[in-house]
Amino acid sequence: MFKLSQKVKSLPPYLFLEIDKAKRKARQEGRDIVDLGVGDPDQPTPSHIIDRLYQAASDPLTHRYALDQGLLGLRQAIAKWYNNRFRVKLNPETEILPLIGSKEGIAHFPLAFLNEGDYTLVPDPSYPPYKGGTILAGGRPYLIPLKEENKFLPDLKKIPFNIRRKAKLMYINYPNNPTGATAEIDFYREVVDFAKKNKIIVISDLAYSEIAYNGYRPSSLLEVAGAKDVTIEFHSLSKTYNMTGWRIGWASGNAQLVSALAKVKSNIDSGIFSAIQLAGITALEGPQQHIKDICQLYQERRDTLIAGLQSLGWQASPPKAAFYVWLKIPKKTDTSASLSVGGEHSRATDSIKFSALLLEKAGIVVTPGIGFGKYGEGYIRMALTISKERIQEAIERLRRIL
Ligand SMILES: *Cc1c(COP(=O)(O)O)cnc(C)c1O
């Protein structure tokens, strides 16, 4: 009866809902499911941050509308954190905007700059809101394949000149979800150079900068000299402090870009619950030991998973950062399992069939690569957000079925 807008109709199918459905069904049937699918930390938020929330929430001053631009104290804590972590100086008055989780900012940002038909350069595979935000703003995603032979970095030289002219935005995300790839400062320099030459705004998604292994320290794109002329960077407390459900993140960088996003948002939301902002300050300024602890934990899980997969003859290499293992589907598998994963809109591709097979035959949930875009096809993603014991269980089950 109701006709969806062209924009909503153009959104890619949200595969993850379908996977959730299949997973719930399997659980209802009483099956023991090993869930390597969710990119959501399994550890709790550190208790000093929770304590601060309790305390702040009992103060009636936090019960009113928050300021759209976020508490000054939070913006100052973010500026201090950026300077300590990356030696990047940010003005808390003009260059930082707290967000209700970085996803909303990432998805709303295109509304500030795209006109109907403008292009956004979107890496593929990638986090779904890059495409979704572009389409909802009336723009067109131009997909840049992230290929294994190029270490899952976009090959900027290959972007056609007519597209460069029509592109207003480009998304960059390292450490990368879903591939686990990382970027070094030389690549970031190339990005800034490309963006300046072609008058393109760079949207850098830095959600995983603190989740890294063996002492590796990811860089911020804003570390590049002159990057701030063209860049807005998104970060979040979600992964660093196990706070995905709290919804708090921020945008920082070029003042004009930050204020344009603020203008869009002032028409959509009314800020982050002040008690959560106060707890956010505590997160950034309090003890940081638990970050080392969770990285150690993910690292052990990573090593268990990689060693297990290799023992099965699977080609797998350990990511330096983020908590995902991105795997090529092994060639000779019978992928005839039938599951309605993918919904009506999408054909069952190899990655969907293989994921369905793992669920059906082994009770293992993974994310099919196509859920992150067409160039993700042929891969699956496993997340390191379950215990080492459960990862070992998954390996044993794989050994039995493969
Ligand atoms: C988890 C994640 C985020 C963070 O999302 P929040 O909305 O801040 O919870 C951003 N980008 C990517 C690629 C992610 O995987």
Side-chain angles (χ1 to χ4, degrees):
M1 182 169 56
F2 301 111
K3 280 219 180 91
L4 290 174
S5 71
Q6 211 50 53
K7 286 170 185 164
V8 167
K9 278 200 272 187
S10 321
L11 290 170
Y14 198 61
L15 195 65
F16 304 120
L17 276 180
E18 308 287 337
I19 296 164
D20 253 12
K21 234 189 278 172
K23 185 164 73 184
R24 264 203 311 277
K25 183 159 163 281
R27 285 210 168 112
Q28 269 162 12
E29 289 163 359
R31 303 180 59 199
D32 173 39
I33 300 300
V34 180
D35 191 352
L36 288 159
V38 265
D40 189 348
D42 58 316
Q43 297 299 301
T45 305
S47 59
H48 65 280
I49 302 172
I50 300 171
D51 291 344
R52 182 70 182 109
L53 175 69
Y54 279 141
Q55 188 196 24
S58 59
D59 178 351
L61 280 178
T62 65
H63 301 171
R64 316 196 55 181
Y65 282 123
L67 297 171
D68 283 356
Q69 73 269 36
L71 291 173
L72 179 62
L74 176 59
R75 285 179 276 134
Q76 286 167 334
I78 292 166
K80 205 156 70 180
W81 182 85
Y82 244 90
N83 190 36
N84 287 340
R85 175 65 178 84
F86 301 113
R87 299 282 152 226
V88 168
K89 299 236 184 304
L90 294 167
N91 182 343
E93 303 282 352
T94 55
E95 295 177 331
I96 296 173
L97 178 69
L99 300 169
I100 309 170
S102 59
K103 184 180 185 179
E104 65 98 346
I106 287 167
H108 284 141
F109 186 77
L111 288 169
F113 290 97
L114 293 188
N115 291 312
E116 206 69 32
D118 286 341
Y119 281 77
T120 300
L121 306 179
V122 179
D124 185 308
S126 62
Y127 189 48
Y130 308 157
K131 283 178 201 137
T134 295
I135 291 168
L136 290 174
R140 294 193 203 171
Y142 181 85
L143 305 183
I144 312 176
L146 300 185
K147 294 193 174 149
E148 193 157 357
E149 63 261 30
N150 203 26
K151 299 185 169 141
F152 298 110
L153 297 172
D155 190 346
L156 303 178
K157 295 186 298 296
K158 289 220 174 107
I159 299 166
F161 282 93
N162 63 324
I163 299 295
R164 296 183 195 198
R165 243 179 287 122
K166 289 188 274 189
K168 291 237 176 101
L169 312 174
M170 97 187 268
Y171 284 98
I172 294 286
N173 165 224
Y174 296 97
N176 183 256
N177 175 12
T179 67
T182 49
E184 301 314 323
I185 209 78
D186 284 350
F187 169 73
Y188 281 158
R189 276 198 201 102
E190 220 184 289
V191 168
V192 171
D193 213 41
F194 175 87
K196 287 193 171 180
K197 272 202 193 100
N198 296 290
K199 298 195 169 49
I200 294 171
I201 295 165
V202 182
I203 306 163
S204 165
D205 179 352
L206 199 61
Y208 293 96
S209 66
E210 305 315 294
I211 309 297
Y213 311 116
N214 303 99
Y216 177 65
R217 298 284 273 166
S219 303
S220 152
L221 207 150
L222 290 172
E223 288 175 46
V224 173
K228 213 194 270 177
D229 300 339
V230 290
T231 303
I232 185 164
E233 190 159 74
F234 289 85
H235 193 67
S236 167
L237 301 185
S238 286
K239 311 294 160 53
T240 314
Y241 301 98
N242 305 329
M243 288 173 71
T244 48
W246 295 54
R247 312 314 300 133
I248 178 167
W250 69 80
S252 58
N254 183 279
Q256 196 201 336
L257 303 182
V258 166
S259 81
L261 177 58
K263 183 158 188 189
V264 169
K265 276 170 53 63
S266 70
N267 286 279
I268 295 176
D269 65 69
S270 301
I272 314 163
F273 180 27
S274 301
I276 290 180
Q277 297 192 54
L278 291 166
I281 298 173
T282 298
L284 292 169
E285 294 185 340
Q288 304 293 309
Q289 177 59 35
H290 91 280
I291 302 177
K292 285 208 177 85
D293 298 343
I294 53 169
C295 289
Q296 183 62 34
L297 189 72
Y298 293 136
Q299 187 173 323
E300 284 166 17
R301 294 170 177 179
R302 176 197 71 167
D303 294 343
T304 303
L305 181 60
I306 297 287
L309 291 170
Q310 286 173 346
S311 79
L312 299 172
W314 214 325
Q315 276 187 11
S317 49
K320 279 158 71 180
F323 46 55
Y324 304 106
V325 171
W326 185 242
L327 281 170
K328 220 177 212 144
I329 298 170
K331 287 245 160 52
K332 270 182 273 139
T333 44
D334 168 27
T335 53
S336 60
S338 60
L339 260 194
S340 61
V341 176
E344 308 162 2
H345 331 273
S346 53
R347 291 169 297 124
T349 66
D350 283 350
S351 69
I352 291 176
K353 284 192 218 157
F354 187 67
S355 304
L357 176 88
L358 293 183
L359 180 57
E360 197 168 290
K361 300 274 194 273
I364 296 172
V365 174
V366 300
T367 310
I370 191 139
F372 303 98
K374 66 176 181 181
Y375 295 101
E377 182 47 33
Y379 291 84
I380 53 169
R381 191 194 73 176
M382 294 182 176
L384 302 169
T385 48
I386 56 170
S387 73
K388 212 159 68 175
E389 291 68 33
R390 294 298 280 168
I391 289 173
Q392 270 154 351
E393 170 68 23
I395 296 293
E396 288 323 307
R397 291 185 189 184
L398 287 173
R399 200 182 304 284
R400 265 175 263 141
I401 67 152
L402 288 181

